[in-house]
Amino acid sequence: MGGHDEGAPTSTGSPSWDCARIVCEVAIECLDVDAVAISARGTHGTRELAAATDGWATRAAELEATAGEGPGHDALILGGEVSAPDLDEARHRWPRYRALAGELGVAAVFAWPVPDGTGAPALLTGFRRQPGALPYQERVDAAALIALAAKALRYDRERAGRAGGEANKE
């Protein structure tokens, strides 16, 4: 199945996205991808990276913000899975994203919106260095991963809220 670069999963921002990082690690074992990232609405209403399997996933996830387009952007707008099993074939659909992704070595992207209870869906994204579609069963498995990611994001936010409440009591 998938693999990842050496090093611990990465995350940015607040709250601490411990459960989201675990979901990324589970997803990379379940899906035939090289890296996984979860982005969510941050504390200031902007999209932030909640968790990623490695630095390559972090950089790949940030490409859409730079390009202003891409599979994840479309998945959030459409409210469903957007797959790009061969980004070379998507060069006309997302020209800026494709150019940046090519420089990084991203050949395929699979993006799913994650309803996380905030009104702005999060995003679960798998990245691959080689082109190719996900097998049918892995696309089915993604539904379970989406539900798990939604629960993890809610739990991480609730835990951060409780921790913030405790800090205010001191």
Side-chain angles (χ1 to χ4, degrees):
M1 288 288 156
H4 53 83
D5 295 340
E6 290 183 19
T10 59
S11 71
T12 60
S14 176
S16 171
W17 300 105
D18 296 334
C19 292
R21 277 195 300 272
I22 293 168
V23 172
C24 285
E25 292 299 323
V26 170
I28 202 163
E29 295 301 322
C30 295
L31 303 175
D32 183 19
V33 295
D34 297 307
V36 176
I38 298 175
S39 62
R41 187 170 65 177
T43 54
H44 302 291
T46 58
R47 185 155 305 284
E48 70 178 38
L49 184 66
T53 52
D54 55 42
W56 187 69
T58 299
R59 292 186 303 278
E62 292 169 348
L63 292 178
E64 289 197 36
T66 302
E69 63 183 20
H73 179 76
D74 285 5
L76 291 172
I77 290 171
L78 298 171
E81 174 189 352
V82 173
S83 294
D86 187 344
L87 279 175
D88 281 341
E89 294 178 4
R91 64 184 169 274
H92 299 294
R93 185 174 182 184
W94 306 300
R96 292 181 305 277
Y97 178 77
R98 171 57 195 103
L100 294 170
E103 290 174 12
L104 188 59
V106 178
V109 180
F110 310 95
W112 298 272
V114 176
D116 69 350
T118 66
L123 189 65
L124 172 67
T125 310
F127 304 96
R128 194 186 287 152
R129 289 180 171 90
Q130 297 296 321
L134 285 180
Y136 173 77
Q137 186 57 52
E138 290 183 24
R139 293 179 68 200
V140 171
D141 293 345
L145 292 167
I146 291 164
L148 185 60
K151 181 69 174 169
L153 291 168
R154 281 193 300 272
Y155 181 79
D156 285 342
R157 282 194 175 99
E158 289 170 5
R159 191 177 58 206
R162 287 191 303 269
E166 294 297 319
N168 291 335
K169 289 181 183 178
E170 294 177 3

